[in-house]
Amino acid sequence: MSFQYLKPNKSTKFKDRHTTKVDECVSPYEEGMQGDVGLVGLPFSKTSISASLASEAPAAIRKALGSYSTYSGERDKDYQNVSILDFGDVPVHPTDTSETLERLKTSVKEMIDTEACERYIMLGGDHGVSFPSISAFQEKFGRIGVIQWDAHHDLRNIDDGGRTNGTPFRSLIEAGVLKGEDLFQVGIRDFSNAKAYADYATNHGVHAYTMADIDDHGIHFITDQVIQILENKVDCIYLSVDMDAVDQAFAPGCPAIGPGGLTARELLSSVAKAAKNPLVKGMDIVEVDPSKDFRDITSRLAAHVMFRFMYN
């Protein structure tokens, strides 16, 4: 039987012949494929110290890719030929956190070992996923520098609760994966951290730029300064974007929202500026909780962070 309008198993989504949406450039990875950007989901948020369904973020951010075109009007350039290989999501263990962290590290390492792409994006999950992810990049590329956009230091002690989303960078430093002097934190916010962790940062050579620093010097000046320091010291640069670095007005779907943070434009322009450097090989986007979001504001901003990373 033929239908006049019905199309079983086919999308009824409107298609403009002149417009390419970003999700149309995504292909599931198969052995031997080559692309421009690799994508993997790390859907784990059981280590969050506040209630979080950030495990649902990879799916929400992927969905948001379908809302935007590949054309940049500011640059008058269409990026429809930039291919994205999706390696899927890492299956987490239902109860064993250590096993899950090992699975995350193994999967990220396996992805970059394919050498299928020049750059890779990891979609968290809470910020705890940065520990295994950055560890995998360090094993592959050598000395690693990290630019962390965040309201928090994430240098909490491990004794009080084990490895959580508040401990990834302390874990990396104490494991010898990351030198404190190679960690640059951008957007550290007032009344969001303990003095003990600010002191830990100082004592280990971590470079922490507060919102007051950004007010005084501007996000572009600070981003340029960070890149200039790192590019002369490390083998690889990794970007870690905690979405709670952004003011709660622009990113309501974060477990730890707060006022006085970056604007959406500040985050996007800073990521874009950093991503231009050829040493930048990977980026994670973390702390998006779709269950707390409003009209997908935070997931859509995360998608735009991806665009600034991919389209340079």
Side-chain angles (χ1 to χ4, degrees):
M1 178 180 177
S2 61
F3 297 106
Q4 185 173 0
Y5 299 109
L6 297 176
K7 297 179 180 179
N9 298 320
K10 292 186 179 180
S11 174
T12 58
K13 186 177 179 180
F14 174 76
K15 172 61 180 173
D16 181 329
R17 70 185 72 183
H18 299 297
T19 302
T20 302
K21 295 297 181 71
V22 177
D23 65 343
E24 296 178 62
C25 302
V26 179
S27 301
Y29 173 76
E30 294 182 6
E31 188 173 356
M33 293 179 68
Q34 292 290 308
D36 297 297
V37 179
L39 179 66
V40 67
L42 309 179
F44 184 60
S45 57
K46 288 185 178 180
T47 55
S48 178
I49 60 177
S50 54
S52 173
L53 287 178
S55 55
E56 298 180 356
I61 298 170
R62 284 186 178 98
K63 181 180 178 182
L65 299 180
S67 297
Y68 301 102
S69 77
T70 57
Y71 174 66
S72 167
E74 294 178 0
R75 303 175 189 175
D76 192 23
K77 184 174 181 179
D78 200 319
Y79 293 92
Q80 60 184 327
N81 294 322
V82 174
S83 58
I84 305 166
L85 300 184
D86 194 338
F87 286 77
D89 288 349
V90 180
V92 303
H93 192 281
T95 59
D96 191 333
T97 295
S98 296
E99 168 65 19
T100 292
L101 294 177
E102 186 58 36
R103 289 184 184 186
L104 299 181
K105 179 182 176 182
T106 298
S107 299
V108 172
K109 184 68 161 49
E110 288 176 342
M111 176 180 66
I112 57 182
D113 278 345
T114 66
E115 298 184 351
C117 305
E118 289 294 319
R119 292 181 164 188
Y120 298 90
I121 297 173
M122 284 56 64
L123 298 178
D126 68 36
H127 216 157
V129 305
S130 293
F131 174 52
S133 182
I134 292 172
S135 297
F137 272 78
Q138 186 271 332
E139 288 187 7
K140 175 68 175 180
F141 294 105
R143 184 172 177 178
I144 191 164
V146 175
I147 307 175
Q148 170 197 354
W149 287 265
D150 206 329
H152 311 96
H153 291 294
D154 286 355
L155 296 169
R156 288 177 182 266
N157 77 85
I158 297 172
D159 296 334
D160 286 340
R163 300 200 192 281
T164 69
N165 64 336
T167 67
F169 296 101
R170 187 176 190 133
S171 297
L172 289 163
I173 291 170
E174 297 188 352
V177 174
L178 175 66
K179 295 182 178 182
E181 66 185 82
D182 296 337
L183 174 59
F184 290 76
Q185 302 180 324
V186 179
I188 299 299
R189 199 147 69 227
D190 233 4
F191 308 111
S192 300
N193 297 277
K195 185 180 187 308
Y197 302 130
D199 291 343
Y200 183 95
T202 299
N203 294 337
H204 287 79
V206 175
H207 306 261
Y209 295 88
T210 67
M211 286 305 304
D213 293 324
I214 293 169
D215 289 340
D216 290 342
H217 303 290
I219 192 70
H220 288 176
F221 173 84
I222 288 174
T223 306
D224 282 337
Q225 185 178 66
V226 169
I227 287 292
Q228 287 170 12
I229 296 171
L230 279 177
E231 66 183 357
N232 294 313
K233 296 172 59 177
V234 301
D235 302 309
C236 167
I237 298 174
Y238 183 104
L239 312 182
S240 185
V241 182
D242 186 326
M243 294 298 291
D244 71 26
V246 181
D247 190 283
Q248 62 188 8
F250 302 96
C254 295
I257 58 172
L262 298 170
T263 67
R265 287 291 298 168
E266 283 176 325
L267 176 65
L268 295 176
S269 62
S270 183
V271 169
K273 185 172 280 288
K276 291 181 184 298
N277 191 283
L279 287 179
V280 174
K281 300 296 183 184
M283 176 181 71
D284 64 47
I285 303 174
V286 297
E287 300 295 343
V288 175
D289 182 347
S291 73
K292 293 179 171 63
D293 214 357
F294 176 73
R295 295 200 64 187
D296 302 320
I297 288 174
T298 315
S299 295
R300 288 170 179 254
L301 178 56
H304 273 260
V305 172
M306 289 180 59
F307 305 158
R308 270 43 174 205
F309 177 82
M310 296 187 299
Y311 303 144
N312 267 289

